[in-house]
Amino acid sequence: MNAPKPWLPEAAAQTSLGRVRGSNEDAFGYRADHGFFIVCDGMGGAAGGEVASRMTVQAVLERMCTGAAATDGRETLHAAIADANRAVLERADRDPGLYGMGTTLVSLLLRPGSALIAHAGDSRCYLWRSGKLERKTHDHSLVDEQMRLGTMTREEAERSPFRSVITRAIGTQQTINEEVQEMKTEPGDVFLLCSDGLTREVDEEEMARVLGVGDDLQAAAKRLVEAANEAGGRDNVTCVLVRVPVDTSV
Ligand code: CA
């Protein structure tokens, strides 16, 4: 008799400078064996965006590989994000060259049968299930909030000079209120975590087309980033794709 396979999500990631920017302020990281995946998109300061996103990915990822995360993932993640926020603020305080730096965050914590999505800012999480793409996060941005209030149309939002204004991010306020949602997963679900460099260049129909091509996650991640660059590549582009395994523990 074969031993049951360990529960292990499959993941692939791709990042690109894009075609305009001089540096990549996006950062990502994951540990599939701990079921944790994260994308951050840095902003502000001279070199600050890059520092803020990398610091945050590293600190949160490290914390999510501890025994505490295995016991209480939700609480550990909340503490890790709060600590990363404090660390980014302190670092910016000490180094005037980094003043004003911050970063968005979107993360996925997978456990057999469930997913915990946390985010702050306009990096997004999508779910690809049964041939359909569903956006799981709404942006913490000025235009997205106005659209949800009904005071701005999608067309107005796309033309707005304020479309880059983020209303929640790591390193911009003394306390960070990340948004957290828990959902049930199904075997074969694919989650996409991405920065706005993807979503501003590639519409959801095109993203769904790419994800519908086949099961090769690495090829899909590469194709999504290529599509953003072909559409202009005006920003750094990052995507992480994660597939929920068949649950062998039940
Ligand atoms: Ca960006």
Side-chain angles (χ1 to χ4, degrees), residues 21 24-26 40-43 104 122-123 166 195-198 200 234-238:
R21 300 289 177 94
N24 194 343
E25 299 191 331
D26 286 358
C40 288
D41 176 355
M43 57 191 134
T104 70
D122 65 355
S123 295
I166 303 294
S195 62
D196 68 335
L198 177 70
R200 286 194 189 196
R234 281 157 281 206
D235 195 359
N236 310 138
V237 196
T238 301

